[in-house]
């Protein structure tokens, strides 16, 4: 044998000391989750941490310094693992997913395609999702980074189907295809229209009723008007869990309209669709099983650690025809590593894909849908409890009905600029680390928005937040500076 010297590798020189180092960091990671309930919700990033990151590209490495910097970062998350994080819609994560992420990293799988273990885990996740939403066995699905990408995949298939997939080669005429959603829609829908070359103006934003659900009469009138103007309606996007107040559109009514008008029905169910696992919410989602596609997140109300979203499609054929592209170097085979067709890359824009499916699979396998559903119900009961406390306090005013897990309200006082006051209350809550709600506009006025997608939250946490709102509100009003606009 020849003696080849001097070749390097990135593997550790000493596996025993690597093992010690890795175990130490695992303990640090577990401590992080074990103390998620303690202390302030949010610790702003210190200048020291920012400066420590701003160095030149390292020419020679330093494992100890690398670990120390990672450790220093841990207290400075956005706070979504804390039980009083109520901002936007963030999932709260699980300690178990640390294990799944570790295993995924060790396997270092690429799920673009080919025939290997990880692919079968994702296939099973797809089967589970079909069964959860009552979709037929012929449906298809793909694990993605989040609802934004899931929406893009769904509406690209919807767009391409209109031209029997010729649009993939020929492109589209801007302004010809039009789609519909409510004015409570998430910004990712209009951005999708933009990315698909349809233009964001081609997305008609239909007004809502008092419950913040799409007004189906106005929707039908808009479709008729567009047809009369020679345009081609192609899709209606229903929302299951709208961003501002969590409203669920009448999905059965939308499915009826979509089928009468031959439109693609897509449901943006980023957080709300997973309410299908909750006995309390399931009846409200009636009709979702009739959708052509559903986009939702595992990282929101099912608490899979970021990031993990999903696109479910009724027609596997439409799904594959919108994305499949197999050049010579990606040719499939009946046997060997290139088997296992079709490949996941035929269902979305990405070729190389990480093993997100493992943490999703592990979350479902370890906790089961029953418990995950009960935790969703628990959050809805908590939102109702919060609404009751607000309704009983003359200093507080509820701004919208509670459809699921979101409660919008404001602190009130006479002769005061309430928009500015409530902005400042939320900033103070966040800066003091007591709680982290966000704000939104309801009927043109600012509201404190509490969204509970958090398995660690208790009603006591809501009491703590409300007490702080009362204290901060009263103090800010006493201090002045809020002359009515
Ligand atoms: C969060 C959210 C989205 C976007 O999902 P990402 O996973 O952040 O891409 C879309 N629609 C609704 C209703 C959402 O709540």
């Amino acid at each position: 044998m020849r003696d080849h010297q001097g070749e390097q590798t990135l593997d550790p020189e000493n596996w025993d000391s690597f093992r010690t180092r890795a175990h130490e960091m695992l303990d640090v990671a577990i401590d992080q989750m074990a103390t998620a309930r303690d202390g302030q919700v949010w610790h702003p990033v210190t200048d020291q941490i920012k400066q420590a990151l701003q160095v030149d590209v390292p020419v020679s490495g330093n494992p100890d310094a690398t670990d120390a910097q990672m450790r220093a970062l841990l207290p400075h998350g956005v706070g979504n693992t804390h039980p009083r994080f109520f901002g936007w819609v963030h999932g709260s994560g699980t300690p178990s997913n640390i294990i799944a992420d570790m295993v995924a990293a060790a396997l270092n799988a690429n799920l673009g395609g080919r025939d290997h273990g990880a692919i079968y885990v994702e296939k099973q996740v797809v089967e589970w999702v079909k069964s959860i939403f009552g979709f037929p066995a012929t449906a298809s699905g793909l694990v993605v980074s989040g609802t934004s990408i899931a929406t893009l995949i769904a509406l690209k298939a919807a767009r391409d189907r209109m031209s029997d997939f010729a649009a993939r080669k020929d492109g589209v005429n801007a302004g010809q295809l039009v789609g519909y959603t409510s004015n409570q829609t998430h910004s990712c829908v209009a951005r999708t229209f933009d990315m698909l070359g349809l233009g964001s103006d081609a997305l008609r934003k239909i007004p809502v009723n008092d419950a913040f659900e799409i007004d189906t009469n106005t929707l039908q009138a808009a479709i008729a008007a567009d047809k009369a103007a020679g345009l081609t309606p192609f899709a209606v996007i229903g929302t299951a869990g709208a961003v501002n107040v969590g409203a669920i559109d009448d999905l059965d009514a939308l499915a009826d309209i979509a089928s009468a008008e031959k439109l693609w029905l897509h449901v943006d169910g980023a957080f709300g669709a997973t309410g299908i696992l909750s006995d309390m919410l399931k009846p409200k989602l009636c009709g979702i099983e009739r959708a052509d596609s559903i986009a939702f997140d595992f990282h929101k109300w099912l608490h899979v650690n970021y990031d993990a979203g999903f696109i479910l499609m009724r027609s596997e054929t439409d799904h594959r025809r919108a994305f499949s592209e197999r050049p010579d170097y990606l040719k499939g085979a009946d046997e060997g590593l290139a088997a296992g067709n079709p490949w996941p890359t035929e269902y979305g824009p990405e070729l190389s894909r990480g093993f997100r499916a493992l943490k999703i699979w592990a979350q479902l396998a370890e906790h089961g849908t029953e418990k995950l559903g009960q935790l969703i119900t628990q959050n809805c009961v908590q939102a109702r409890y919060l609404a009751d406390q607000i309704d009983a306090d003359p200093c507080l005013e509820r701004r919208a009905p509670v459809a699921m897990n979101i409660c919008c309200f404001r602190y009130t006082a006479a002769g005061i600029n309430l928009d500015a006051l409530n902005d400042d209350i939320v900033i103070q809550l966040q800066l003091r680390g007591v709680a982290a709600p966000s704000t939104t506009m309801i009927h043109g006025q600012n509201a404190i928005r509490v969204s509970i997608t958090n398995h660690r939250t208790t009603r006591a946490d809501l009491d703590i937040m409300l007490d702080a709102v009362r204290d901060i509100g009263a103090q800010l009003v006493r201090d002045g500076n809020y002359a009515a606009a």
Side-chain angles (χ1 to χ4, degrees):
M1 242 179 64
R2 285 189 215 167
D3 184 16
H4 294 297
Q5 295 283 327
E7 282 155 319
Q8 306 194 73
T9 166
L10 293 174
D11 285 339
E13 268 168 37
N14 181 329
W15 281 98
D16 286 334
S17 49
F18 175 78
R19 195 178 296 274
T20 308
R21 178 184 155 209
H23 278 275
E24 219 169 85
M25 286 302 274
L26 176 60
D27 277 333
V28 168
I30 294 170
D31 286 345
Q32 171 81 2
M33 280 286 184
T35 58
R37 292 171 183 279
D38 303 343
Q40 295 189 193
V41 178
W42 179 57
H43 298 265
V45 185
T46 60
D47 287 342
Q48 199 187 352
I49 286 184
K50 292 180 198 168
Q51 279 154 15
L53 288 167
Q54 290 159 8
V55 297
D56 292 340
V57 181
V59 175
S60 36
N62 181 340
D64 291 338
T66 307
D67 289 357
Q69 262 185 296
M70 289 198 283
R71 273 173 116 136
L73 205 57
L74 281 172
H76 302 284
V78 77
N80 56 315
T81 54
H82 192 287
R84 288 194 296 283
F85 185 91
F86 304 124
W88 307 277
V89 183
H90 276 45
S92 39
T94 61
S96 328
N97 258 191
I98 296 174
I99 300 176
D101 263 345
M102 194 172 64
V103 173
L107 196 53
N108 189 26
N110 177 348
L111 281 84
R114 293 161 280 265
D115 194 1
H116 52 108
I119 292 281
Y120 293 90
V121 174
E122 179 159 352
K123 278 190 201 275
Q124 197 53 41
V125 168
V126 174
E127 291 308 311
W128 285 349
V129 172
K130 286 188 216 172
S131 126
I132 286 171
F133 287 101
F135 266 47
T138 49
S140 62
L142 189 72
V143 171
V144 293
S145 58
T147 292
S148 302
I149 290 297
T151 303
L152 176 67
I153 292 172
L155 294 180
K156 180 176 184 310
R159 180 198 77 173
D160 293 350
R161 190 181 64 167
M162 293 304 287
S163 60
D164 198 24
F165 300 88
R168 290 195 65 187
K169 202 156 79 50
D170 303 341
V172 285
N173 280 339
Q176 185 60 39
L177 293 176
V178 288
Y180 309 84
T181 191
S182 91
N183 62 14
Q184 298 295 302
T185 186
H186 189 275
S187 55
C188 75
V189 180
R191 201 170 48 192
T192 289
F193 272 61
D194 157 15
M195 288 190 285
L196 290 175
L198 305 171
S200 53
D201 282 353
L203 177 66
R204 314 291 199 228
K205 294 187 181 164
I206 306 297
V208 292
N209 61 24
D210 291 344
F212 293 82
E213 297 157 7
I214 191 167
D215 179 339
T216 49
N217 290 328
T218 314
L219 168 64
Q220 280 175 306
I223 295 169
D226 281 331
K227 281 163 104 178
L231 300 175
T232 312
F234 82 106
V236 56
I237 296 101
T239 310
V243 276
N244 285 326
V245 308
I248 303 172
D249 287 337
D250 183 342
L251 300 175
D252 248 334
L254 290 184
D256 288 342
I257 294 170
S259 102
E261 298 283 352
K262 298 198 168 39
L263 306 179
W264 182 290
L265 174 59
H266 174 71
V267 174
D268 176 352
F271 65 99
T274 50
I276 195 108
L277 299 180
S278 148
D279 293 339
M280 186 193 234
L281 293 185
K282 189 173 181 170
K284 296 192 186 196
L285 291 163
C286 190
I288 198 168
E289 72 288 349
R290 297 170 63 193
D292 291 295
S293 53
I294 306 174
F296 70 95
D297 285 323
F298 281 100
H299 58 219
K300 286 180 174 169
W301 229 351
L302 294 180
H303 313 293
V304 169
N305 294 16
Y306 280 86
D307 49 16
F310 198 89
I311 179 63
L312 177 63
M313 275 260 208
R314 175 167 307 278
S315 165
E316 187 273 340
T317 315
D318 288 347
H319 193 176
R320 186 156 39 84
R321 286 186 77 194
F323 288 96
S324 186
E325 194 72 70
R326 295 285 292 268
D328 296 343
Y329 53 86
L330 296 177
K331 188 160 66 81
D334 294 335
E335 288 181 290
L337 261 180
N341 292 285
W343 289 4
T345 186
E346 294 175 78
Y347 298 98
E350 296 169 320
L351 174 55
S352 295
R353 306 170 59 247
F355 199 3
R356 291 188 183 102
L358 186 64
K359 57 192 178 179
I360 297 171
W361 176 87
Q363 193 89 314
L364 292 167
E366 175 178 341
H367 300 294
T369 54
E370 187 179 49
K371 181 157 187 199
L372 292 166
Q374 285 166 355
L375 287 163
I376 288 174
T377 302
Q378 178 171 297
N379 285 161
C380 295
V381 171
Q382 289 165 341
R384 197 58 255 167
Y385 168 82
L386 181 64
D388 289 343
Q389 307 307 303
I390 290 163
D391 293 347
D393 186 337
C395 289
L396 305 174
E397 178 186 40
R398 194 144 60 81
R399 301 294 296 153
V402 172
M404 300 200 264
N405 59 326
I406 297 178
C407 184
C408 293
F409 70 104
R410 65 180 179 181
Y411 188 91
T412 77
I416 290 269
N417 178 345
L418 292 177
D419 283 359
L421 172 67
N422 282 279
D423 262 342
D424 284 352
I425 291 175
V426 167
I427 289 171
Q428 282 303 317
L429 286 170
Q430 294 172 356
L431 288 177
R432 295 181 192 188
V434 186
S438 53
T439 60
T440 193
M441 299 300 279
I442 304 283
H443 298 307
Q445 290 175 319
N446 199 14
I448 301 175
R449 176 178 167 285
V450 176
S451 161
I452 319 174
T453 43
N454 196 320
H455 63 87
R456 298 191 181 93
T457 301
T458 64
R459 276 167 294 179
D461 289 307
L462 298 170
D463 292 339
I464 291 172
M465 179 193 62
L466 276 186
D467 284 344
V469 168
R470 293 182 185 108
D471 287 352
I472 295 168
Q475 189 197 326
L476 290 175
V477 169
R478 263 198 315 275
D479 293 352
N481 299 330
Y482 295 100

